[in-house]
Amino acid sequence: ACGGSGGSSGGARDYIHAVGSSTVYPFATAVAEAYAKAGGGKSPVIESTGTGAGMKLFCGGVGASFPDVENASRRIKKSEFEDCQKNGVKEIVEVQVGIDGIAFAEAKTGPGFKLTPVDIYKALAANPFGKPNTAKTWADVNPSLPAEPILVYGPPSTSGTRDALKELILEAGCKTDPAMEALKKSDEDKYKATCQDIREDGPYVDAGENDNLIVQKISQNPKAIGVFGYSFLESNPDSLIGIPLNNVVPTYASISDFSYPGARPLYIYVKKQHLGPIKGLQDYVNEWAKAWGPTGYLKAKGMVIAPADVQAKSAEIVKSMTALDPSTLK
Amino acid sequence: MSNPRWQTPAALRRIARRNAAERRFRLLGLGAIALSLGFLALLLVIMAKNGLSGLNWSFLSGSDSTDPHMAGVWGAAKGSLLTMLVTIAIAFPMGVLAALYLEEFAPRTRWIEWVEVSINNLAAVPSIIFGLLGLAVFINTAGLPRSSPLVGGLTLALMTMPVIVISGRNAIKAVPPSIRDAALAVGASKVQTVFHHVLPLALPGILTGTIIGMARALGETAPLLMIGMRAFVATPPGGLTDPSSVLPMQIFLWSDQIDTAFVENTSAAIIVLLMFLMAMNGLAIYLRNKFEVRW
Amino acid sequence: MILSAVLLAVLALGLAGWTFARNKARLLYAGRGSMHSMPVYHGWHFALWIVLPGLLAWGVWSVAMPTLVNGSILADPAAAALPADDMQRAAILSEARAIAADPSVFAFDPLSARLADPIRVAEGKWGTIGALLVLICALAGGAHAWTRVRAGFPARTRVERVVMAVLLVVSLMAILTTVGIIGSLVFEAGLFFKDVSPLAFLTGTHWSPANAHGGDISANFGAVPLFWGTIYIGAIIAMFVAIPLGLMSAIYLTQYATRRVRGWFKPLLEILAGVPTVVYGYFAALTVAPKVRDFAAWIGMNNPSTESALAAGLVMGVMIIPFVSSMADDSLAAVPRSMSDGSLALGATRSETIKKVLLPAALPGIVAGVMLAISRAIGETMIVVMAAGASANLSANPFASMTTVTYQIVQMLTGDQEFNNPKTLSAFALGLVLFVVTLILNIIALRVVKRFREAYE
Amino acid sequence: MTDIKLQARNVDVYYGQKKAIDNVSIDIDNGLVTAFIGPSGCGKSTFLRSLNRMNDTIADARVTGEILLDGEDIYAASMDPVALRARVGMVFQKPNPFPKSIYENIAYGPRIHGLAQGKADMDVIVEKSLTQAGLWNEVKDRLNDPGTALSGGQQQRLCIARAVAVSPEVILMDEPCSALDPIATARIEELIDDLRQTYAIVIVTHSMQQAARVSQRTAFFHLGVMVEYGETSEIFTNPREARTKDYITGRYG
Amino acid sequence: MTDIKLQARNVDVYYGQKKAIDNVSIDIDNGLVTAFIGPSGCGKSTFLRSLNRMNDTIADARVTGEILLDGEDIYAASMDPVALRARVGMVFQKPNPFPKSIYENIAYGPRIHGLAQGKADMDVIVEKSLTQAGLWNEVKDRLNDPGTALSGGQQQRLCIARAVAVSPEVILMDEPCSALDPIATARIEELIDDLRQTYAIVIVTHSMQQAARVSQRTAFFHLGVMVEYGETSEIFTNPREARTKDYITGRYG
Ligand SMILES: Nc1ncnc2c1ncn2[C@@H]1O[C@H](COP(=O)(O)OP(=O)(O)OP(=O)(O)O)[C@@H](O)[C@H]1O
Ligand SMILES: Nc1ncnc2c1ncn2[C@@H]1O[C@H](COP(=O)(O)OP(=O)(O)OP(=O)(O)O)[C@@H](O)[C@H]1O
Ligand SMILES: [Mg+2]
Ligand SMILES: [Mg+2]
Ligand SMILES: O=P([O-])([O-])[O-]
């Protein structure tokens, strides 16, 4: 919303408004509820828009018609930060609230895959190491794997989980080749295309925004692999098991200490300029800090808690509300 | 001494065959209806099976929550109610007046033809496109608050108005010209004729169309996705500009929840929504039957 | 503040004027034909002349006032601190205005709190001037109209002219909405087509916005698979269900059913169209899709997808049944009874009459109905969002997962996207295509129906 | 003394391009019943409706020539069609009461023209009109029943009463009995005979017998042309034109 | 020698509760044209339609009494209405050709009844029927034109040809000329006179003149009752009943 004519609603707002990631949404709603129950005031409104669309709203400007908090399943991008600045959103507080693991999983009755990022890269990239992908079965990728057809259900192109898949797994597998490092220096675009593009000829199936459905599909289809947020794996222990990557099984512990390669941090971004005018915003952020600890309820909701040092650092930020240093962004 | 030409074995066989074909065709028709309604019944039974146990007072009076046992539909229902209020307050008068103009007063010019084509077309434009329009006009240009029943209602009003215009025109057309002649012949002006006679007589028909249009708007989700109503709102909206959800959106949000206990909630909310809709449809049918005049 | 008050005052004046003028006109009545219009029309005429000029002045002033107030503010020393950027400046000013209206509001920017007082003063000044102006306009209008309360004055004709103008303006809303839709779609789609060639968009067979980066991204925005998915689900599979069931239902209801049966079944059938699509979507995803998948596995498909064109299409077909049946119903009813009488009187059976005479005669109407139903189906969103899947597959296999135009619009506008990115903008280009296609389908259908109706009138 | 109420001079009526009435001139007198007869589609209704500008309501109908009511051109710009229709009332083929009470049916016209000063006044008008239409005794106890609940013949008399209630000067009737049974028809015919004392009456009928029974003047139309006009008794016994004679003796129609 | 084709015995017809035909008995002879006349709504069409069970198609119509075709009860369970209607054809008030080619209009009936053994056979039937209906010369060069493209009178003759094509024994006509102009009417009347050599013909008409011109027997209906039935010349010159006389002399209707 361009501030120009946004005057009509420029007045007060007596609730907190958060937008952004659908991954963070379940946790944010839980925090909002606890905040409201603790007598903090009217229940915050949490909109599930996706990280990027949320950023656009968040950075739209300062005032009652713009959200106070952005939930993100990735860090804010430099371009987004600049947009914020341009619209007068000067100081943004970045708080890491926890971790989400992108879990690879199969049905309990599955063949028992053991994979590495390289295997996955070779199986799912559109052009592994610059050549078109011809792999049909897992054995084509790595002879030690079962000769089952490659079939991976994963998030759609519009999801933050998909970005994490590309950056954390595919790119990691890709970078094992030194030639790629070189390519990164010479031709950034080409590097991105080679290391991050996902094949579209069938083995990777876009399963839609609804992670529930992916879970169902995997449990019905023993030969398929699913990619989704760790919380889904945790809440379906009867039907699914995690697939080890680099011999690390996706468990709560392995994700929280980042030994599992598919771990990514979750953030909330808070508009500092709103701290005064929006009643209870500080309390709401404090509520996050209460909730993300090892005994907090977010753990029960399926969030992976951050390591102690990250928690301490985040708690410090929450207390002092130090603004984000843009020089660390890319 | 009956006619021998129609009594030959060949002729009798032929008639028997044709009568059998007749019966088959008739059964086919009955089958088609049975199948269609069977599907409806199946849908209702499944929803009832999954959801009836979840329908209790706390569900009906609560609002959205992350805890499936605490979650309820009142917040969303109130959002729906406010949204519908806005929709009907705008779409009904505008729809009726436009229908009156087009049917009774409009000169047959190219311009009016464009208006007619637009209206008929708007009635069939995919609802999601109205969402895009609502986003562009009401939120981005007019700066109205996101996620609010006000914007939702305005967007749905744009969508519902053509439906009301079309049904309104049909209802107006159904008022026999002899009534207009009668009024004109005692010296009523055209405007008097229309507002004293035609409109009151067409009103039941217009209302029926309006209820059906409103029922459609009540069940609409896609355009509201675009204007920020896909949100967690744990307090029922207090006014038209408060953020809120609506019933179908609540169903959509719950259907995506990890916790399988939400399946019951989703189905229960569906039952609530369907009851609303059936009540509205029932009312429309009642009105239609009660006021249907055979001229 | 004062402006809202003056608005009420104008309305009150109008009401008073209505009473005065009507009473004055009554005194003029001297028996039949002595007056052109009934006294109450004089009342309305007078009231309109007060209220309309007042409203007009009020509207103009409401638009102009913020500019005038801003002008006064910028002269204030506190305004020197305003940032240069237009957008920020406007945001602060609008906030300051809010604080001026309601001091309890908290300031997001300290500057706006400081500006609130000058704003209050300026608003008071300009508001009073505006209020006077509005009152003057209203009274001037009233004075003009007062001279017209004469026996021969055609007040009714004048009032009716205003009524007609209101009706006309309201009717133009439809055009306005259409223009709004086209405008907003074309504008954003135009930005999209700066990066992506329209030809590649409309004819390319490769849809992968996710992999669109680097120089030439046109190749990633080939929308044909989306169009195909849309057509396959909405126009092929759904119609496979809806046409036979809808048509046969309509035939049974119009030709065979007794009035009672028809009275019950027709509304029941219409409920199918009234069920919200999100319910269908849920039902499709949860109940129908797994069954379809089981069936696919049973007929020997390897690893069938849970999300299938077939599941979405089947459910959509059911949803569409009432559309087809009610259009077919109308068309069959529009065939004059004399047609079926002619056939029956020759000794044809009912079904022969239906197949050989009624259906051919009603065909144009039925075709038009099917087209309207298709346009409804291809615009349907929630069912595909919940049950069709996201893969841009160009396949004829009904058990494959496919995606549609509407699905992509929802994804692109609610997913993790950078703004002003072709990915997001593509939603508007897709919306434009969808709009144009339904427009064409509808225009054709309306033409056909019209010609068909004329043939029997 | 001739007492000309309505005068048509060289009237043509077109529907779009099609000429439905071709150069008709006729004088209609006070105190008489004038009948228009002729085969179906010959333009009787069209001409009748142009006498009180009811044709204005048909988008593509166009009237040329002059029609004078008491010497005043009814198509002149200064003539308000609304006022005109209050002076030249009309009764239609199918009885078309408003779906309101009997009382309201009659009261509607006087009310919009402001003919009554209050309820008592209106009651008088209603009673008088219903009495003139010969309906008062039948309905006086149920003035609040809907007009549509009356029998066909009663409905038609209600419509006549409605027309009479605004005290018109001329009453036009377009086949007022064609939807009625013989007994109701007879009642209406009597009524017409009564009314002609007060009003100039023009009646369209497809039944020559009816024309012979109720009218004093008859005009015979054929294919848009007025073939013959004169005393009813003359026309039926001694038509001047061959076409009239053929029609009257049942050669066609 | 009397040659009775159709015999009605104490026929009542009801629409729901309403009795539209009250105790009508009549004999209809081969080789003659029988006319039904009477004021509008008296039940002519209703009775005509019960003669070939077309009333079956009206949901709430009910026929009691006996109607015998060649002595066989047409309402008996053993009588197939489909075969019956092929034997007792019908022509309607408004010409209603199917929206198909002229050829197909005629061929439709013979085809569903399997009366032709192949194309050549069908061609013969079509030509013969059109010739009988006096239409062959006008349409023989454009058999593939749509039947709806013909003029009204031609359309009505096409409908007669269509009825004739299935070789019925009786032809019922319900006001077959009321939508036609006088010239077309004259053609149809001639045709009826030709056809009666081959078929028993029953015609409903609202025009007494027409009844007088084409029929040999006339039945006069009034309010659902058959008031009088006899030689046409008798009925018109010397009616036995007062009601008949009133009607014929134009007292009502
Ligand atoms: N609204 C119209 N538009 C075009 N043509 C019309 C219209 N109304 C009537 N006509 C034509 O004008 C001619 C005269 O019609 P009109 O209704 O005046 O005949 P009529 O003598 O009253 O016939 P009837 O006895 O059937 O009532 C006819 O040919 C008719 O088709
Ligand atoms: N389908 C029907 N349902 C109920 N009543 C009907 C139906 N058809 C006709 N009637 C009534 O039955 C009576 C006889 O009607 P019918 O059509 O036989 O008269 P008719 O003599 O043919 O008149 P017309 O000369 O107008 O054609 C009328 O009172 C009519 O209203
Ligand atoms: Mg007429
Ligand atoms: Mg009849
Ligand atoms: O909604 P996401 O941005 O977390 O995919």
Side-chain angles (χ1 to χ4, degrees), chain E residues 113-188:
Chain E
H113 293 295
L115 300 185
Q117 317 295 325
K119 171 95 174 93
D121 218 10
M122 187 65 84
D123 288 350
V124 172
I125 294 181
V126 170
E127 174 166 356
K128 196 173 132 233
S129 313
L130 284 169
T131 311
Q132 269 196 291
L135 196 61
W136 176 248
N137 286 328
E138 288 161 59
V139 302
K140 64 169 180 272
D141 301 323
R142 47 183 187 129
L143 290 175
N144 288 321
D145 284 9
T148 44
L150 297 173
S151 78
Q154 288 174 322
Q155 284 187 15
Q156 196 60 296
R157 277 179 282 151
L158 180 65
C159 292
I160 294 174
R162 184 174 70 184
V164 162
V166 289
S167 322
E169 298 151 31
V170 183
I171 299 181
L172 311 175
M173 300 185 173
D174 193 353
E175 311 199 13
C177 304
S178 71
L180 304 184
D181 59 66
I183 294 145
T185 301
R187 291 286 318 248
I188 303 275

Side-chain angles (χ1 to χ4, degrees), chain B residues 1-8 11-12, chain E residues 5 69-70 72 79 83 86-87 167-169:
Chain B
M1 56 174 233
S2 63
N3 190 309
R5 189 159 70 95
W6 294 97
Q7 297 295 335
T8 62
L12 289 176
Chain E
K5 186 70 194 173
L69 175 66
D70 290 333
E72 200 182 351
M79 174 64 79
R87 294 170 61 190
S167 322
E169 298 151 31

Side-chain angles (χ1 to χ4, degrees), chain D residues 53-195:
Chain D
R53 294 185 58 176
M54 281 296 283
N55 275 340
D56 287 14
T57 63
I58 297 168
D60 59 353
R62 199 159 45 81
V63 178
T64 65
E66 260 188 339
I67 299 177
L68 309 177
L69 175 66
D70 289 331
E72 199 183 352
D73 186 355
I74 67 169
Y75 282 90
S78 60
M79 176 65 82
D80 184 30
V82 165
L84 169 71
R85 292 193 201 117
R87 293 170 62 192
V88 184
M90 190 155 193
V91 175
F92 299 86
Q93 177 164 13
K94 243 187 86 234
N96 55 355
F98 300 126
K100 305 185 175 199
S101 71
I102 293 172
Y103 186 94
E104 282 304 316
N105 262 283
I106 310 291
Y108 180 74
R111 184 169 301 135
I112 57 172
H113 294 295
L115 300 187
Q117 313 296 322
K119 169 95 176 90
D121 219 10
M122 187 64 85
D123 288 350
V124 172
I125 295 183
V126 170
E127 175 167 353
K128 197 174 129 230
S129 313
L130 284 170
T131 310
Q132 269 196 292
L135 195 60
W136 177 247
N137 286 327
E138 286 160 64
V139 302
K140 64 168 179 273
D141 300 324
R142 47 185 185 128
L143 291 175
N144 289 320
D145 284 10
T148 42
L150 297 173
S151 79
Q154 289 174 322
Q155 285 187 16
Q156 196 60 297
R157 277 179 281 152
L158 180 65
C159 292
I160 293 173
R162 184 175 64 191
V164 162
V166 289
S167 325
E169 299 153 31
V170 183
I171 299 180
L172 311 175
M173 300 185 174
D174 193 355
E175 311 199 14
C177 305
S178 72
L180 303 183
D181 60 64
I183 294 145
T185 301
R187 293 285 317 248
I188 303 277
E189 287 177 4
E190 271 168 44
L191 177 57
I192 292 172
D193 208 52
D194 291 350
L195 292 176

Side-chain angles (χ1 to χ4, degrees), chain E residues 15 18 20 40-46 58 175:
Chain E
Y15 290 115
K18 189 183 154 195
S40 188
C42 66
K44 307 180 292 293
S45 301
T46 302
I58 297 168
E175 311 199 13

Side-chain angles (χ1 to χ4, degrees), chain C residues 257-267:
Chain C
T258 61
R259 203 173 303 155
R260 265 179 80 93
V261 169
R262 186 178 153 86
W264 275 102
F265 279 14
K266 208 174 137 80

Side-chain angles (χ1 to χ4, degrees), chain A residues 22-24 26-27 99-103 161 211-212 215 228-237 240 250-252 255 264 266 298-304, chain B residues 256-259:
Chain A
S22 53
T23 314
V24 184
F27 311 129
I99 305 174
D100 180 44
I102 32 168
T161 315
D211 291 345
N212 255 335
V215 173
F228 36 71
Y230 173 73
S231 53
F232 286 84
L233 180 58
E234 204 189 53
S235 44
N236 292 278
L240 302 181
T251 61
Y252 191 82
I255 290 173
R264 59 163 169 168
L266 301 177
L298 291 183
K299 194 175 163 192
K301 286 270 163 195
M303 192 176 81
V304 177
Chain B
D256 200 19
Q257 289 281 350
I258 310 176
D259 195 332

Side-chain angles (χ1 to χ4, degrees), chain B residues 3-287:
Chain B
N3 190 309
R5 189 159 70 95
W6 294 97
Q7 297 295 335
T8 62
L12 289 176
R13 251 197 327 270
R14 194 181 164 85
I15 287 190
R17 205 178 63 233
R18 288 170 60 204
N19 284 335
E22 168 75 16
R23 278 191 297 277
R24 271 200 307 277
F25 190 76
R26 198 187 159 112
L27 271 179
L28 220 59
L30 201 56
I33 293 191
L35 211 59
S36 311
L37 294 182
F39 187 94
L40 182 66
L42 179 71
L43 191 149
L44 294 179
V45 165
I46 288 184
M47 293 310 148
K49 202 181 96 214
N50 291 338
L52 270 187
S53 52
L55 270 182
N56 51 41
W57 180 245
S58 75
F59 179 78
L60 291 178
S61 61
S63 288
D64 198 4
S65 165
T66 55
D67 176 359
H69 305 295
M70 299 283 299
V73 285
W74 171 238
K78 193 172 175 200
S80 278
L81 211 71
L82 291 173
T83 308
M84 288 301 108
L85 274 182
V86 175
T87 303
I88 198 164
I90 293 181
F92 181 69
M94 301 217 1
V96 172
L97 293 182
L100 277 182
Y101 182 75
L102 292 177
E103 207 48 56
E104 294 288 334
F105 300 107
R108 297 283 122 215
T109 61
R110 185 55 38 99
W111 256 102
I112 295 305
E113 235 166 69
W114 273 104
V115 174
E116 290 188 331
V117 169
S118 312
I119 287 181
N120 285 323
N121 181 57
L122 282 180
V125 163
S127 57
I128 193 165
I129 289 187
F130 285 98
L132 295 178
L133 178 71
L135 176 67
V137 173
F138 300 126
I139 295 183
N140 289 350
T141 308
L144 298 177
R146 256 180 98 75
S147 320
S148 63
L150 178 63
V151 171
L154 286 171
T155 307
L156 293 179
L158 291 183
M159 201 184 92
T160 310
M161 188 186 129
V163 177
I164 297 181
V165 175
I166 290 175
S167 67
R169 290 184 69 176
N170 288 335
I172 292 167
K173 224 178 268 171
V175 176
S178 67
I179 295 291
R180 296 177 183 79
D181 283 348
L184 290 173
V186 292
S189 71
K190 186 83 198 174
V191 172
Q192 286 172 326
T193 304
V194 168
F195 282 91
H196 294 168
H197 297 283
V198 178
L199 182 57
L201 291 175
L203 215 49
I206 299 178
L207 282 182
T208 312
T210 305
I211 294 173
I212 287 170
M214 293 299 294
R216 192 178 145 197
L218 176 62
E220 201 53 77
T221 319
L224 304 180
L225 284 176
M226 306 283 104
I227 56 168
M229 294 191 102
R230 185 188 197 169
F232 174 80
V233 186
T235 16
L240 292 180
T241 51
D242 283 357
S244 96
S245 183
V246 290
L247 272 175
M249 187 63 77
Q250 192 68 72
I251 293 168
F252 182 62
L253 283 170
W254 282 347
S255 76
D256 200 19
Q257 289 281 350
I258 310 176
D259 195 332
T260 43
F262 272 107
V263 169
E264 188 187 70
N265 283 353
T266 313
S267 303
I270 286 178
I271 294 174
V272 171
L273 181 55
L274 285 180
M275 302 237 271
F276 259 116
L277 290 172
M278 287 194 189
M280 285 172 84
N281 275 313
L283 182 65
I285 293 166
Y286 171 78
L287 274 179

